[in-house]
Amino acid sequence: MNGVIDMDTSTGKSSRIQGFHKLSREERIKILAEFSNLNNEDIELLDKWGAMESKVAETMIENVVSAMSYPYAIAPNFRINGKDYLVPMVIEEPSVVAAASNAARLMREGEGIISIATEPIMIGQIHLIGVTNPDYKAQMILERKKEILELANSSDQVLVSLGGGAKDLEVRVLDTEKGKSIAVHILVNVLDAMGANAVNTMCEKIAPRLEDITGGRAVLRILSNLADRRIVRVRGYVKSEDIGGRDIAERIEWASAIAFSDPYRAATHNKGIMNGIIAVALATGQDHRAIEAGAHAYASRTGRYIPLSKWETTPEGDLVGTLEMPLAVGTVGGTVRVHPLAKLSLKILGVSSSRELAQVMGAVGLAQNLAALRALVSEGIQRGHMKLHAKSLAVMAGASYEEAEKVAEILEKEGNVTFKRAKEVIEKIRQER
Ligand code: MEV
C-alpha cells in the first residue's frame, strides 16, 4: 500500500499511514478501500455528500472522505417569551421530535415558556505550577488585574470594539495531589460567539505575563467548559387537565423529587433534557461536546449529581417546571459560518443573538424533559417508540419505504411488532396487490 509502514503481520495491513492528511480524497479512499475491502457500492455511498459539499467539509476537519447525514426535523408549537419558533432538530432517536412538539403545545399558553439567559461570559483558565508562596503570588496577580485584562483584550480588538472582551479576573489557589497550584480565571464576554477561539487566544496571550509575575510555569491555557457564568434559566406552566389530570402532575413531581435523591435516575432525567438540547445544537452547528460537558459538570456543582430541571405541583394541582444550566452556544463563527444547514437552521429559528439561541435551546430542553416524564409516569415510553420502531423493522424485513408505513400500521394494530410478522405482512400486501 502506498505510504504504508509498520505492517500488522496477522492481516498484512497497517493503519499507520504516513502523510494521510496530505493525500487527495481519492487517494485516501483508495487506501481505505484496500484496507477495509470496500466495493464500488460502498465507495458510491461515500460520494453522497448531502447538503455539505466536499470542499466545505475539508475546511472543517482533516482526512475527510465523506459526510454523514442524520434526520433533520422541525418541531412546531414553541412559544418562548411570547415569540413563536419552529425549531430544527437533528437526531436519530425516534419520538424525540414528536415529544418536544407535544410538550411545547402544552406549555404554549400566554407568553409560553419563559427563558432568560445571562450575559455570554466564558471562563478562560491559566493553571500555574511551581509557584512558591502561592497565596502571596495570587494577590500579586490580582493587583495587576487591569494590566492583565488589557493584555488579554489586545489579542481581540474586534471583540472589544463590539463591546465584548475580558471583563474580570479571579484567582484560585488549588491544593492538588502534586502540591499547590494557581488557577487564574479571566471572564470574557464573547458576545454572539461560542467563544472558545477568542478565550483560548487570550489565555495563551497572558500566560507568559502570569509566569513573570509568579515565577511559575503556565501548564494549561484553555477555556473551562463548566460555563457557569453563561446560564440559561427556563420556566414553564402546564395545566393538569392538559397532561391527564392531577394524578399525572403529582407523579411527575415525584419523578422530579426522585431524580434529586438518586444520581442514577438524575443521569437519565438529564439525558432526556439533552435529547432536545443536543438535537438543536447539531442542527445549528454548535460544539455539542462542550454543551454536554458543561451540563453534567453543572449538574454536579453541589458535589452530588442532580437534575438540571425541577417539577412541582401548584396549590391548584397544575404543574410548574424550571430548568437551569450552562449553554455555551454561538450564532457567529465556527461551524455556523461554514455549514450551510447550520446557517439555514438559524434562519429558520430567526434568532438574533447567542443569548436568544440559548433561551430557545433551554426551552426545548424543558419541553423534552416534560414529555419524557409524562410518558414515563403514564403509558411508558415504549408505546411512543413503537410506531417508528415498527416502520424501521418493516424496512429491515424487506419492505420498500412506500410499503413500510402500511406494514407498521398493521404490526402496531396487532400489537405484534416482530421481524417475523413484518415479513409475513409484507408478503401478504404484495400478494393482494
Ligand atoms: C430516552 O432517550 C430519554 C428518557 O430516558 C428520559 C427520562 O427517562 O427522563 C426517556
Side-chain angles (χ1 to χ4, degrees), residues 93 96 265 268-269 271-273 275 369 372-373 376 381 385:
E93 184 173 328
V96 168
R265 174 55 208 158
T268 323
H269 178 109
K271 193 272 182 180
I273 293 170
N275 273 347
N369 181 224
L373 297 185
L376 283 169
I381 59 155
H385 277 189

Side-chain angles (χ1 to χ4, degrees), residues 169-181:
L169 180 146
E170 295 169 351
V171 187
R172 297 157 57 224
V173 176
L174 307 178
D175 208 356
T176 82
E177 63 177 27
K178 284 181 73 66
K180 296 234 174 175
S181 82

Side-chain angles (χ1 to χ4, degrees), residues 206-219:
I206 64 172
R209 181 68 190 117
L210 296 170
E211 288 178 334
D212 284 349
I213 297 167
T214 60
R217 268 177 303 131
V219 68

Side-chain angles (χ1 to χ4, degrees), residues 63-141:
N63 300 356
V64 171
V65 292
S66 188
M68 184 158 167
S69 303
Y70 266 58
Y72 181 111
I74 299 291
N77 305 335
F78 276 91
R79 176 166 294 160
I80 304 161
N81 301 333
K83 177 174 168 185
D84 275 34
Y85 294 90
L86 291 178
V87 181
M89 299 177 82
V90 169
I91 190 158
E92 87 300 345
E93 184 173 328
S95 306
V96 168
V97 178
S101 317
N102 284 336
R105 185 173 44 79
L106 300 179
M107 291 193 282
R108 248 185 96 75
E109 226 160 81
E111 286 196 288
I113 302 169
I114 302 296
S115 186
I116 54 172
T118 62
E119 291 273 307
I121 303 287
M122 294 295 285
I123 299 169
Q125 294 193 294
I126 298 95
H127 286 99
L128 297 153
I129 56 168
V131 180
T132 53
N133 308 109
D135 296 288
Y136 187 80
K137 300 286 175 45
Q139 180 172 330
M140 287 174 69
I141 296 171

